[in-house]
Amino acid sequence: MASHYQKTHAILIPYPYQGHITPFVYLAIKLASHGFTITFVNTHYIHSKISNSQTQQHSNKDDLFAKARENGLDIRYATVNDGFPLGFDRSLNHDQFVEGLLHVFSAHFDEVVGNLVKSDPPVTCLIADTFYVWPLMIAEKYNLVYVSFWTEPALVLTLYYHMELLKKNGHFASQDNRKDTIDYIPGVEAIEPRDLMSYLQATDIWTVVHRVIYKAFTDIKKADIIICNTVQELEFDTLSALNKKQPTYAIGPIFPSGLTKAPFSISLWSESDCSQWLNNKPNTSVLYVSFGSYAHTSKEDILEIAHGLQLSGVNFIWVLRPDIVSSDETDFLPVGFEESIKDRGLIVPWCKQIEVISHPAIGGFLTHCGWNSTLESIWCGIPLICFPLLTDQFTNRKLVVNDWKIGINLCDKERVTHEEVAEKVRNFMCGDSTQELRKAMKEVRNTLENALGQDGSSEKNFHQFMEDIKVNIRKRAGLSNGHVSPLHQNGNGLAH
């Protein structure tokens, strides 16, 4: 099989956030193990964050993929300047940073691509994060096949894809957005406005992130191929509708084999080892709490959640990034909190999430509903308490709570209160409804496992996707000789 794909050389470039980098790395490994030559591009800043978070025993400080190459995979590694000095606080100066990604970054990346097209084998394909605003321009300049990699669920993709429909119907970008059910998006039965992504619920629709979204979702419509980190059976109607527009493949979840023991760390922070602590706790007795790598929350919310966890009496591990409130406010826990929970609570700045949630002591996950966290929880069979903070997390919560019924909401009111947190956490960890959630979770997990099996939908779609890249490369090279991909004949990239 591999020799057939030997000469396809793809550049992969993730958006510079943890939740995007992780699936890109796993995709690089998967493509390389099917004979692709890969050049993986990180920003200097992301590269230095990953390098600095590595402990001494890791030998891949300068090159994430050194180990993969030792195993015979042709993955090359390059870094590019994102336009800012290394010491610049990208979190604190978020808008300025995103302006740079919008206007400056493409010139740096263009230079890298210009050098890579001269490599051996020459680059023929660009696989870029959907949120970038320049892949189309660069792909056209260098005559590359352009693949848009969407790292979130298809539901989120299709809502952005059909922003104009939301606008036309007054659910987005109107003086006061309509609050009734949205039932006109192709492939989406119905969705409530409160379940839209935060950017589509906003009243200020000309922020820098909005401008990125408008440009990115104009360009994606000209991509040769779209790939999604989701599972066909979980979002069948949505994917079918997208496929009528352009070839869209559900190839997720993109996990490495042996996910719970990943071969190397791609974390932007040093990871605490929680295994000793967990080993001393009864099975399914610990709640894992983490709000991800990127979103911020208010000090008030942190205080309420802390009091709620304290009141609940439940064992927990809480991952609290030092910048969870903001880079310049790092003292946000109630006075005496850590002392009061020391026998049953563990607070760490960051950890190997997959190792923690696959531990038998873990019984639930209080999450921001980031898509990687959601997929990892499903893989480990851990039900969710949802506390979305930003962007796609509100829409992911709809899938988790309403559609798949594998989780509950943390708060049903406008604001989170410690009383509600305590009650929800207690019932979730010890109540009768837990069994229902576990049962539903088992079914969804089976769907994931089947999709990744040899004859599963994700595996078939992955092979069709690779084949489609080749067809497009041949067309680009003028070697198509009238061959049309069977996927395009029926306008449908879904595996049957």
Side-chain angles (χ1 to χ4, degrees):
M1 191 99 192
S3 61
H4 184 52
Y5 295 117
Q6 211 58 55
K7 288 299 169 198
T8 308
H9 184 172
I11 303 173
L12 269 70
I13 179 149
Y15 214 61
Y17 297 129
Q18 183 79 68
H20 295 250
I21 294 158
T22 303
F24 261 86
V25 167
Y26 296 154
L27 178 65
I29 290 169
K30 189 158 183 175
L31 283 168
S33 60
H34 283 85
F36 274 57
T37 294
I38 299 295
T39 297
F40 191 98
V41 183
N42 254 338
T43 65
H44 293 332
Y45 173 74
I46 290 294
H47 173 72
S48 79
K49 285 274 285 183
I50 293 173
S51 294
N52 293 338
S53 77
Q54 305 289 314
T55 49
Q56 289 313 303
Q57 70 261 28
H58 285 96
S59 57
N60 62 320
K61 280 174 92 79
D62 294 321
D63 186 340
L64 289 186
F65 298 98
K67 208 168 197 143
R69 273 198 305 281
E70 282 168 25
N71 293 329
L73 300 183
D74 188 2
I75 306 185
R76 300 144 193 211
Y77 187 60
T79 57
V80 61
N81 189 335
D82 64 9
F84 294 93
L86 282 181
F88 178 77
D89 189 329
R90 287 151 180 79
S91 175
L92 197 60
N93 304 291
H94 170 267
D95 287 8
Q96 194 185 341
F97 173 53
V98 179
E99 289 284 2
L101 291 180
L102 191 57
H103 299 295
V104 182
F105 185 46
S106 61
H108 294 285
F109 184 65
D110 189 327
E111 189 178 24
V112 171
V113 178
N115 292 327
L116 284 171
V117 290
K118 304 183 196 103
S119 59
D120 179 33
V123 168
T124 44
C125 176
L126 171 62
I127 302 177
D129 199 295
T130 305
F131 279 115
Y132 280 126
V133 296
W134 38 257
L136 179 67
M137 172 187 82
I138 287 179
E140 285 176 347
K141 177 174 175 180
Y142 295 104
N143 198 30
L144 306 176
V145 175
Y146 166 31
V147 178
S148 188
F149 180 19
W150 180 248
T151 59
E152 295 168 12
L155 175 60
V156 178
L157 170 61
T158 208
L159 290 166
Y160 280 137
Y161 199 99
H162 293 99
M163 263 180 303
E164 285 308 313
L165 272 181
L166 290 164
K167 214 174 194 171
K168 198 173 93 180
N169 286 280
H171 280 104
F172 167 60
S174 76
Q175 214 47 53
D176 40 353
N177 293 337
R178 282 169 56 183
K179 295 286 180 271
D180 56 322
T181 303
I182 299 160
D183 58 4
Y184 48 80
I185 303 289
V188 180
E189 200 175 321
I191 186 165
E192 298 304 320
R194 67 169 179 273
D195 294 326
L196 293 174
M197 296 79 80
S198 58
Y199 298 118
L200 297 188
Q201 296 187 46
T203 42
D204 177 2
I205 58 153
W206 289 108
T207 68
V208 63
V209 178
H210 282 89
R211 285 180 284 126
V212 164
I213 290 167
Y214 302 148
K215 176 79 171 86
F217 279 87
T218 304
D219 281 10
I220 194 178
K221 292 174 182 170
K222 297 192 181 116
D224 294 300
I225 302 165
I226 300 171
I227 51 174
C228 281
N229 190 19
T230 188
V231 175
Q232 192 174 296
E233 287 80 0
L234 292 180
E235 302 194 82
F236 192 85
D237 293 346
T238 306
L239 287 156
S240 298
L242 281 164
N243 247 299
K244 292 190 172 82
K245 308 270 187 190
Q246 61 199 110
T248 306
Y249 300 99
I251 60 169
I254 301 164
F255 288 156
S257 50
L259 172 66
T260 52
K261 296 280 178 229
F264 54 80
S265 171
I266 41 178
S267 171
L268 304 186
W269 292 275
S270 300
E271 298 165 317
S272 305
D273 183 0
C274 308
S275 51
Q276 282 304 102
W277 189 87
L278 282 167
N279 290 343
N280 294 319
K281 297 286 178 261
N283 283 2
T284 69
S285 71
V286 178
L287 178 70
Y288 174 67
V289 186
S290 172
F291 303 133
S293 59
Y294 171 65
H296 298 285
T297 186
S298 68
K299 185 172 176 174
E300 292 73 39
D301 284 352
I302 293 289
L303 288 171
E304 291 297 326
I305 289 167
H307 283 309
L309 289 170
Q310 196 175 9
L311 274 175
S312 73
V314 164
N315 296 327
F316 63 90
I317 287 182
W318 192 356
V319 173
L320 265 180
R321 292 188 340 259
D323 70 341
I324 186 77
V325 172
S326 103
S327 305
D328 49 6
E329 176 159 16
T330 50
D331 183 20
F332 40 72
L333 283 170
V335 179
F337 176 71
E338 294 192 57
E339 185 57 32
S340 73
I341 52 94
K342 70 171 189 290
D343 296 329
R344 59 179 185 83
L346 178 65
I347 296 174
V348 295
W350 200 245
C351 70
K352 282 194 172 74
Q353 178 165 290
I354 198 72
E355 281 186 18
V356 170
I357 61 176
S358 59
H359 193 285
I362 298 291
F365 183 175
L366 169 46
T367 175
H368 64 308
C369 287
W371 188 234
N372 288 324
S373 288
T374 302
L375 289 174
E376 288 171 8
S377 286
I378 294 171
W379 192 251
C380 297
I382 303 296
L384 302 161
I385 308 184
C386 302
F387 182 57
L389 300 169
L390 188 70
T391 180
D392 62 317
Q393 296 159 16
F394 298 93
T395 316
N396 300 345
R397 173 187 64 182
K398 176 210 182 292
L399 291 170
V400 165
V401 177
N402 304 9
D403 298 8
W404 306 332
K405 302 190 174 12
I406 55 174
I408 61 166
N409 289 319
L410 177 66
C411 54
D412 301 317
K413 305 179 195 73
E414 267 308 286
R415 296 229 52 92
V416 58
T417 65
H418 58 275
E419 294 92 348
E420 190 173 14
V421 171
E423 189 191 343
K424 285 274 177 78
V425 164
R426 247 194 317 264
N427 288 341
F428 178 79
M429 293 298 284
C430 319
D432 300 337
S433 59
T434 318
Q435 290 317 107
E436 286 300 298
L437 290 171
R438 285 189 191 287
K439 202 173 139 204
M441 183 58 98
K442 209 171 184 173
E443 284 175 27
V444 178
R445 192 205 181 278
N446 286 342
T447 304
L448 251 65
E449 203 168 10
N450 293 338
L452 292 178
Q454 211 175 347
D455 295 320
S457 59
S458 291
E459 203 52 25
K460 282 181 178 171
N461 287 338
F462 189 76
H463 284 275
Q464 288 189 329
F465 153 61
M466 291 190 294
E467 202 47 59
D468 207 7
I469 288 180
K470 297 212 169 42
V471 169
N472 276 282
I473 289 169
R474 287 199 290 273
K475 276 188 198 161
R476 283 272 190 302
L479 302 175
S480 173
N481 63 35
H483 175 76
V484 181
S485 162
L487 310 174
H488 294 171
Q489 288 171 347
N490 64 12
N492 184 356
L494 298 179
H496 296 291

